[in-house]
Amino acid sequence: MDYYLSVATFAALNAILALGLNLISGFCGQVSLGHAAFYGLGAYAAALCAVAGAPIWLSIPVGMLVAGVFGVITGFAALRVREDFLAIVTMGVGFLFLGVVRKQQWLGAEMGIARIPSPLDKWGYALLSIGAAIALLLLSLHIRRSWMGRAFGAVAQDEDAARSVGIDVAGYKITAFLLGTAAAGLAGGIYAHMTQLIVPDAFNFVQSVTILAMVVVGGIGSSWGVVAGAVLLTLMPEMFRFINDYKLLVYGGLLLVVMRFSPGGLAGLVFRLTGRRLA
Amino acid sequence: MYLLELLLVGLVWGCTYAMMALGLTLVYGLLRILHVAQATVFTLGAYVGLLVANHTGSLALAFPAAALSAAALGPLIYRLVYQPMLDKPPYVALVASIGLLIAMEDGFRLLFGPYGLSFTRNTWFTTTYSWAGLSLNVVQISMVIAAVGLLSAFAWFATRTRAGVAWRATVSDPAMAESFGVGVSGVRYQSFFIASALAGVAGVLVGLLNNLVEPGMGAMIGYKGLAIIVLGGLGNVPGTLVASLLLGVIESFGTVYLDKLLDRDAIAFLVLIVILMIRPQGLLGKAH
C-alpha cells in the first residue's frame, strides 16, 4: 500500500509541475527550459523554513512565494528576450540555480539538506498532493475559459497583434510566470517534506526536460492532456524495469517521436481520432 | 604570470567553444533551429576518434575518421528529424533536438559503458612545452591550431568560393537565392556537413584534452554552445567567435575568483543572462 501511495504522490507532484509549466509554455507560449529550478527553489525554501522550526502550513507557502518571486524576475527577462532567446535564458536560469546552490555551504552544497521534518504520514502527503493537483487542474480549466486565458492565447499566437488590440502583454506574461512557478514551488515544498532530504541534482536540467516531456507528451496547451502525460510518464518507469534503468533513453526518445509524428501529443491524437478538443 | 596562464587556458577553451558554436550558428542562420543535438555529433566524433586511435595507434587516422563519422550523422539528423518539422513552431524542433540529445546519451552509455574510455597512448596529453614560465601541452596547442585553421578555412569558403556565396545568399534570403538558381536543400546539407565535421574534430580534441571520452561529455558543451550563439547574436558568425573566446576567458578566471559563489557551468549562463538583459539582441547582433 505504501508503495502505491508514494507512486500516486509522485504522479500528483509531477502533474502539478507539468500543469504549472503548461500555464507558461502552453497557455502563454513562453517556452521555458528551466522549470526544475523553481521546483528546487520551492523545495529549498520550504526545507530551510521547516528546519528552522516553521510548521508545514507556513513552510510550503513560503516555498511557493520564493519560487513565485523568482518566477516574476524570470518573467521580466521574458519581456526583454523572445522565443529562442528566452528558451536559452530559461535554460540558463536552471544552470545558474544549480551552480549557485552547489556552492553554498548554508544550503548544504552538494550534500543538500537532510533531516527535514515530516509532519504528515504517507496518506497525508498523497491527499495533499492529489488535492493540490486537482485544484490546479480546475484552476487551469477555469483560466482557459476566462478572459485571462484568451489573453494568454493571444500573447502566445502573436504578441504584436495582441499588443495592438490593447492587451497588456507584459502583465500577462509575468502573471503566467508567477502562477506557473508558484505551482512548481508548491510541488517542491511537498516534495521536501515528504522525502526529508533534498540534493541539488534532483532539480537539474534533466528534471526540467522531464517536466517538459510530460507537457509535450500530454499535449502542450491541454490541461487534461498534460495531467495524463504526467501520470503516464510517472507510471511507466515503475511498471517496466528497463525504463527505469534507461529513463533518459525513453524520455528523450518519446520527446523526439512525439515532436516528429504528433506535435500535439496525446491531446492531439484524441482530437484526430474523435474530433474533440481536450480542454 | 599566473594571470597570463589563466588567460591562455581560457583562450584554449574559447577555441573549443568556437568550433562547436560555429556549427550551431550556421544551422541557426539557415534554419532558425537551435541544434542542441550537435552535442551528440560531438560525442560520436570523440568515440570514433578514440576507438580508431586505440586500435590503430594513430591519431592521424583518428581525426579524419571522427570528422567523417560526425559529418555523416549531422545531415542524417537534418533529414530524419528537422526537415519534416520546418513548417512547425520553433519549439517543436528544439524539443525534438533535446530529446535526441538525452536519448543518445543513454545510447552511448549502452554501447560503450557508463564510465568513459581513455586513450591508451595519449602522447599529446603528456608532452608539454614551456616558454617563459607558461606551459601548454600538445593537445592545447593543437586545439588552438585546429580552431584557427578550420575557422580560417571556413572564412575562405564563405567569402571566396561559389558554394560559400550560395550559402551566404541562402542565409540572407532563401527565396531570392532559390530564384537565382541556388539549390537551397543542398546548401542545408552542406551546412550540417561542415558543422558536424567541426564538432567531430572538437570532440576528439576535448577527449584528448581530458584524456577521457564519456557519454555525457557533449551535453554541457552543447548547452554552452547555445548560450554562446545567443550571446553573439543568433546566426551572427563574428559575434559567435567573439562570444566563444570571451566565455572561455571569463570561465577560466571565474572558476578561480568566483569559486565560492557558483560553479563553472553557472558562470557561462550568468554572463549570458546579464549581457542579454543589457543587449537583448546579443553582443554583435542587430536590433530589430
Side-chain angles (χ1 to χ4, degrees):
Chain A
M1 194 64 211
D2 273 5
Y3 168 74
Y4 292 106
L5 276 180
S6 69
V7 171
T9 310
F10 274 109
L13 289 181
N14 284 333
I16 298 173
L17 290 168
L19 282 167
L21 181 59
N22 188 47
L23 277 170
I24 302 170
S25 302
F27 287 9
C28 203
Q30 309 299 303
V31 176
S32 168
L33 296 177
H35 207 58
F38 303 101
Y39 183 35
L41 277 165
Y44 270 91
L48 284 180
C49 286
V51 168
I56 188 169
W57 54 263
L58 185 65
S59 61
I60 289 179
V62 169
M64 289 175 71
L65 184 72
V66 170
V69 166
F70 279 93
V72 168
I73 296 174
T74 310
F76 276 107
L79 304 181
R80 294 284 285 169
V81 292
R82 281 193 203 180
E83 293 177 2
D84 296 335
F85 283 75
L86 180 64
I88 303 307
V89 166
T90 50
M91 174 195 269
V93 168
F95 284 113
L96 194 55
F97 167 77
L98 271 189
V100 172
V101 169
R102 279 196 179 128
K103 290 286 179 182
Q104 304 305 311
Q105 287 308 321
W106 59 283
L107 292 175
E110 293 282 3
M111 306 299 290
I113 301 179
R115 287 192 292 278
I116 302 163
S118 176
L120 304 178
D121 61 0
K122 289 250 174 205
W123 273 103
Y125 289 114
L127 293 176
L128 179 62
S129 51
I130 293 172
I134 291 174
L136 191 60
L137 174 64
L138 293 177
L139 179 70
S140 285
L141 292 171
H142 171 72
I143 288 178
R144 191 61 163 176
R145 282 193 307 268
S146 71
W147 170 253
M148 185 157 76
R150 320 256 168 196
F152 280 163
V155 174
Q157 283 191 357
D158 190 336
E159 230 173 81
D160 299 317
R163 194 174 287 118
S164 71
V165 294
I167 289 172
D168 176 12
V169 171
Y172 282 111
K173 275 189 187 175
I174 289 171
T175 311
F177 268 97
L178 171 67
L179 292 173
T181 56
L186 170 67
I190 299 175
Y191 172 82
H193 281 286
M194 185 180 70
T195 58
Q196 297 181 276
L197 167 72
I198 51 174
V199 290
D201 270 338
F203 313 106
N204 60 11
F205 183 65
V206 168
Q207 178 66 40
S208 290
V209 172
T210 305
I211 303 171
L212 183 67
M214 291 167 181
V215 172
V216 160
V217 168
I220 190 160
S222 157
S223 306
W224 286 107
V226 163
V227 171
V231 171
L232 189 72
L233 262 59
T234 316
L235 292 186
M236 268 189 352
E238 301 296 332
M239 290 192 294
F240 305 101
R241 195 70 225 158
F242 168 82
I243 297 182
N244 211 6
D245 292 342
Y246 293 99
K247 251 185 192 163
L248 290 183
L249 188 65
V250 174
Y251 283 10
L254 264 179
L255 279 180
L256 179 64
V257 169
V258 169
M259 283 294 110
R260 173 70 179 77
F261 296 104
S262 175
L266 290 173
L269 274 182
V270 169
F271 178 66
R272 263 197 262 167
L273 292 176
T274 67
R276 276 193 45 196
R277 275 206 193 282
L278 227 50
Chain B
M1 212 73 265
Y2 179 55
L3 292 180
L4 207 60
E5 200 161 330
L6 279 182
L7 180 71
L8 217 56
V9 170
L11 287 175
V12 170
W13 272 107
C15 288
T16 319
Y17 293 148
M19 281 203 276
M20 192 70 181
L22 178 76
L24 293 172
T25 267
L26 288 184
V27 171
Y28 191 87
L30 268 183
L31 297 171
R32 307 282 142 201
I33 287 174
L34 292 169
H35 179 32
V36 192
Q38 164 113 316
T40 291
V41 176
F42 169 92
T43 311
L44 178 80
Y47 271 109
V48 169
L50 176 122
L51 293 177
V52 169
N54 282 359
H55 280 99
T56 64
S58 155
L59 274 175
L61 280 176
F63 280 101
L68 282 178
S69 59
L73 179 61
L76 196 67
I77 293 177
Y78 166 68
R79 177 66 195 83
L80 296 180
V81 180
Y82 297 141
Q83 200 192 33
M85 301 178 171
L86 288 177
D87 52 345
K88 301 259 166 45
Y91 78 86
V92 172
L94 174 63
V95 172
S97 192
I98 293 175
L100 180 62
L101 169 63
I102 64 172
M104 284 301 290
E105 204 173 311
D106 254 1
F108 286 121
R109 196 168 291 135
L110 267 172
L111 279 174
F112 301 109
Y115 301 114
L117 306 169
S118 292
F119 288 85
T120 42
R121 249 182 85 249
N122 191 349
T123 46
W124 285 21
F125 185 66
T126 43
T127 316
T128 54
Y129 287 98
S130 297
W131 178 75
L134 298 169
S135 70
L136 285 176
N137 64 33
V138 179
V139 188
Q140 289 172 309
I141 297 168
S142 331
M143 185 78 86
V144 177
I145 294 173
V148 172
L150 290 172
L151 298 187
S152 315
F154 173 75
W156 174 82
F157 160 80
T159 51
R160 299 264 180 259
T161 64
R162 279 192 76 83
V165 172
W167 173 75
R168 283 187 296 144
T170 314
V171 169
S172 60
D173 191 337
M176 188 63 87
E178 197 152 27
S179 71
F180 273 86
V182 174
V184 169
S185 168
V187 169
R188 288 175 179 163
Y189 280 112
Q190 236 170 45
S191 292
F192 273 93
F193 185 88
I194 296 173
S196 308
L198 280 173
V201 172
V204 184
L205 283 168
V206 170
L208 285 167
L209 192 61
N210 299 327
N211 201 18
L212 180 73
V213 173
E214 43 148 1
M217 67 184 287
M220 212 56 229
I221 291 186
Y223 305 144
K224 282 184 197 162
L226 293 183
I228 287 167
I229 66 168
V230 169
L231 202 56
L234 278 171
N236 181 320
V237 173
T240 302
L241 299 183
V242 172
S244 303
L245 294 178
L246 188 69
L247 193 71
V249 172
I250 292 179
E251 271 191 355
S252 166
F253 280 89
T255 38
V256 174
Y257 293 104
L258 296 175
D259 186 53
K260 291 261 178 314
L261 282 175
L262 32 89
D263 71 4
R264 183 190 177 103
D265 300 334
I267 293 170
F269 287 99
L270 180 66
V271 172
L272 168 80
I273 292 171
V274 169
I275 293 183
L276 276 192
M277 289 306 110
I278 303 165
R279 280 184 66 83
Q281 70 275 31
L283 282 175
L284 299 188
K286 289 185 200 79
H288 294 293

